[in-house]
Each structure stands twice: as C-alpha cells, then as structure tokens.
Amino acid sequence: MMFDKPKIILASTSYIRRQLLNDAGVEFEAKNSNLDEEMVKIGLRENGLKPHEQAHELAKLKAFKLSRGNEDFVIGCDQILSLEGQEFDKASNMDEARERLKTFRGKAHNLETAITIVKNGQMIWRHDASPRLQMRNFSDEFLEYYLEKSGKQILKSVGCYQLEGMGIQLFEKIEGDYFSILGLPLLELMSYLRLHKLVEN
C-alpha cells in the first residue's frame, strides 16, 4: 500500500511568511487556521498570560486547528509586540497607526515571536524569539511622510512597519534575528526540517 509523503502545512496566509518559505525552497501548503484570535487573546489576557506566553499559545492553537491527526507537519506562528510590559495588536486604521507610532517613538519594544509544529495532534517542536527594536526619535513631519508613502499596507504589521521596506527608517538599533522580526524564525525552522528530512540536507 502506498502512503502519501507527509506535507508541510503553514497555518497562516501571511504574505511575508509564505514568501520566506518560498524563497528558501520549502514545499508547503498555506492555509488559514480560522482561529478567532481576538477572542483567544481576550481569554489569555484575562488569565494573566505575559506577551511571550500569549504568542506561544496562539501559535500552538493555530497549528492544532489544522492538525488532521495524520502525518502532516503543521507550522503555527504568532507575534505580539510588547512595550514596557504592555501588548499591542495591529492598528485598525491609519489614525490609530499614527498614534501607535507616536507611542513607540524614541522607545525600545520587543516582538515576541513564537513558532510551533504539531503532528498527529501533538506539539512536537517549538521555538520562541524576542527581538528588541529601538525606534529613533523621528519628527512629526517624517511620521506624516512615512504614513503617506507606506500606505495602508502597514496595517498588516503589528508594529505598523515593514522592516523589509521603508519601515527600516523608523529605527536606530535592532537586536535579534531578522527573520524572527518578520514573524518566522527561519534559521531554526530550517534546522528542524533538515533534521527530519523534510527538506534537502
């Protein structure tokens, strides 16, 4: 009897995560987990979970939602921005993005990034990262210029910036892995995939 080779499933339709895996030559399927993230976050925060714990739980739940109880490797990812112990979600509009960036201006924040792999309904691997990003004290004039040039695409990012684009101009110092900042700790993931012969070694 022939059995299908285990697939790699990305429990996310994030453009940048899909692009990173595609560029790395990984064969995978991207699917929306359809997890009600807002409701889950409310529960996690009511239970007092810290930002990095929230990111881990969300990543795990996304993967579990798509785990079919078979041999597929389901990757779940999440990222929460933490500033001085307070978590931030994506801005809903450009006015909110403006105020959010004013809050971040001149300060350092962390991007609590979590990735898990679930197989047969069991979590078999996890990795957490916490890159730290120092925003420069940019002027109001630059902020308006940035918002106009970047447009609504920044609303797709929890920090209202895309580091691979014009968002880099907001920062004066970055500590941590570049791929983790983009939302997918690619080096650690690739090491795991090679170890389990899911990609060429």
Side-chain angles (χ1 to χ4, degrees):
M1 175 182 268
M2 294 289 292
F3 292 94
D4 292 334
K5 179 182 176 181
K7 296 177 182 177
I8 298 172
I9 308 294
L10 176 65
S12 171
T13 55
S14 158
Y15 170 78
I16 188 62
R17 290 189 180 111
R18 288 184 286 122
Q19 190 65 42
L20 289 172
L21 285 178
N22 277 323
D23 289 348
V26 178
E27 293 185 9
F28 69 99
E29 294 180 17
K31 297 185 178 182
N32 193 329
S33 68
N34 293 314
L35 180 70
D36 188 342
E37 293 187 46
E38 297 311 309
M39 289 301 297
V40 172
K41 286 177 184 177
I42 290 171
L44 296 176
R45 290 167 186 174
E46 286 179 347
N47 287 318
L49 271 69
K50 296 178 180 178
H52 73 277
E53 295 171 327
Q54 295 174 33
H56 170 69
E57 287 300 313
L58 285 161
K60 183 174 69 175
L61 289 171
K62 289 176 184 178
F64 274 118
K65 283 274 286 185
L66 291 181
S67 181
R68 304 170 182 167
N70 58 24
E71 295 298 310
D72 290 343
F73 290 76
V74 185
I75 302 170
C77 309
D78 201 81
Q79 188 175 65
I80 291 180
L81 189 150
S82 173
L83 173 66
E84 299 171 349
Q86 179 182 356
E87 61 275 301
F88 290 83
D89 299 319
K90 294 175 182 177
S92 57
N93 54 58
M94 294 301 282
D95 287 336
E96 189 175 340
R98 178 183 292 103
E99 294 308 310
R100 186 74 53 83
L101 289 168
K102 286 181 178 179
T103 299
F104 298 158
R105 178 168 55 185
K107 300 175 184 176
H109 64 261
N110 290 76
L111 290 175
E112 306 296 352
T113 306
I115 181 171
T116 64
I117 295 180
V118 171
K119 180 182 179 184
N120 290 325
Q122 299 290 323
M123 187 175 72
I124 58 174
W125 181 76
R126 66 174 282 186
H127 176 77
D128 300 317
S130 184
R132 188 167 180 81
L133 295 83
Q134 174 70 49
M135 273 199 183
R136 66 185 184 87
N137 194 19
F138 47 81
S139 66
D140 287 342
E141 290 76 15
F142 176 81
L143 176 57
E144 294 305 320
Y145 172 76
Y146 167 77
L147 292 171
E148 179 183 351
K149 290 293 184 181
S150 298
K152 291 185 178 181
Q153 64 181 357
I154 64 170
L155 300 179
K156 298 177 182 179
S157 165
V158 67
C160 305
Y161 55 79
Q162 293 167 314
L163 206 67
E164 67 276 22
M166 192 176 174
I168 191 65
Q169 293 196 41
L170 298 171
F171 296 94
E172 64 182 35
K173 186 178 182 181
I174 293 173
E175 300 174 7
D177 173 59
Y178 175 73
F179 297 111
S180 295
I181 292 171
L182 298 186
L184 184 73
L186 190 58
L187 294 174
E188 291 79 8
L189 175 61
M190 293 302 297
S191 293
Y192 182 88
L193 297 179
R194 282 194 298 271
L195 179 66
H196 291 270
K197 305 187 186 314
L198 294 168
V199 296
E200 292 298 322
N201 196 341

